[in-house]
Amino acid sequence: MKSFLKYREIWLLAGIVVLVGLISARFPGFADPANLRQVFNDTSILMILALGQMVVILTRSIDLSMASNVCFTGMVVAMLNAAHPAIPIPVLIVIALAVGLVLGAINGFLVWRLNIPSIVVTLGTLTIYRGATFVVSGGAWVNADQMSSDFINFQRAAFLGLPMLSWIALLVIALFFLVMTRTQIGRSIYAIGVNPTASVYAGIDVGRTKFIVFCISGMIGGLAGYLWISRYVIASVEVANGYELNIIAACVIGGISIAGGIGSVGGAVLGALFLGIISNALPVINISPFWQMAISGSAIILAVVLNARGERRQGRIILRKAEAA
């Protein structure tokens, strides 16, 4: 499994380099370090969300409500900031994380205790959370002139040449890498994806672990809610509408198997970066949005095919070992 993951990530990274090279041939300034830093910054929110989705998918589940979580949590913190601009930004971020955690816990509880398939649960909460955004806001928007300067400028502040948003993304990437490679919960997540039945015999509480991963994805959605609103300086019911497809696409392109158990932090980040490069570059070289959608869709299909072939290859190797034994 490890060799396959490394192989996949290397090829994905090579594909990104080739893509940047092709774009630079037509638009030479695209490969400038300053522009690449901007592309990374533009893709940071997608990277963060893809990591939250990754831990859910690894357990053979899915969270379709992440974008609605972003919308609801973003509206809550935007309204709080508009009503009480003196609230410090770190406190608002903690509130965003807490609200996202509650929304994720609702998903996790329904999947864990009621044993409802995650796709059914999150398809329902997708609309519930977005509807709740309308109820909380009364259908009104929170605009830039209602937000405090600190709320807007916190993630734009530069440190060592990078905006704070990029540093937040790097911090989240580092935390997920440590959790997935150095902790018991990370090993349990992979084990459940590989074989849930064997995980039970190994002493892993499958239901509780799934609850935890939905809580993680909820907190990530909450964090992204603040980052999204402060970046685009508008909060409305339409925020991140349909963005759950981009999040899942980033995971699939990054080699996260929908069947569970296969994937890595690096793959999710590279998958998001691939989509970010496409969305940033294609408008610059005058390719229509329809072709952008076609290219992204083709990349997703190719990624699914590669994932499926890699998983079959693993299965055949195991079978040979069993036969030899």
Side-chain angles (χ1 to χ4, degrees), residues 127-138:
T127 54
I128 292 172
Y129 296 161
R130 200 165 288 274
T133 306
F134 182 86
V135 172
V136 168
S137 65

Side-chain angles (χ1 to χ4, degrees), residues 31-45:
D32 289 347
N35 187 67
L36 292 179
R37 285 196 298 270
Q38 185 60 47
V39 170
F40 182 89
N41 193 63
D42 291 342
T43 315
S44 292
I45 295 177

Side-chain angles (χ1 to χ4, degrees), residues 47-252:
M47 290 178 185
I48 292 170
L49 289 168
L51 291 171
Q53 185 71 250
M54 176 196 72
V55 295
V56 176
I57 293 177
L58 285 173
T59 62
R60 300 190 179 187
S61 302
I62 197 163
D63 187 354
L64 299 177
S65 68
M66 287 195 80
S68 297
N69 185 336
V70 170
C71 180
F72 180 82
T73 307
M75 178 62 77
V76 169
V77 295
M79 292 177 65
L80 276 174
N81 178 252
H84 306 283
I87 297 178
I89 300 305
V91 174
L92 283 178
I93 293 176
V94 171
I95 292 172
L97 289 169
V99 173
L101 173 61
V102 170
L103 299 184
I106 293 171
N107 290 336
F109 179 83
L110 294 173
V111 172
W112 175 26
R113 288 302 188 183
L114 301 186
N115 202 28
I116 304 173
S118 61
I119 190 170
V120 176
V121 169
T122 57
L123 188 60
T125 54
L126 179 155
T127 54
I128 292 172
Y129 296 161
R130 200 165 288 274
T133 306
F134 182 86
V135 172
V136 168
S137 65
W141 293 15
V142 180
N143 299 310
D145 57 354
Q146 298 172 268
M147 302 176 189
S148 69
S149 58
D150 289 342
F151 184 89
I152 296 172
N153 294 326
F154 173 76
Q155 52 112 341
R156 290 176 170 79
F159 177 70
L160 297 179
L162 281 178
M164 193 61 65
L165 175 58
S166 294
W167 284 111
I168 292 172
L170 290 171
L171 176 61
V172 172
I173 291 168
L175 286 174
F176 268 82
F177 178 79
L178 290 175
V179 168
M180 298 307 295
T181 60
R182 297 290 187 271
T183 67
Q184 181 62 44
I185 184 64
R187 290 188 288 271
S188 297
I189 288 170
Y190 278 110
I192 290 171
V194 172
N195 193 322
T197 303
S199 299
V200 173
Y201 288 106
I204 298 172
D205 190 326
V206 174
R208 183 173 296 176
T209 303
K210 288 190 176 184
F211 175 78
I212 291 172
V213 299
F214 276 103
C215 288
I216 292 172
S217 71
M219 292 179 68
I220 288 296
L223 173 62
Y226 162 71
L227 296 175
W228 186 294
I229 301 303
S230 64
R231 179 166 180 76
Y232 299 108
V233 291
I234 188 167
S236 74
V237 180
E238 298 301 317
V239 162
N241 193 21
Y243 203 67
E244 55 274 347
L245 300 179
N246 297 60
I247 300 168
I248 296 170
C251 291
V252 172

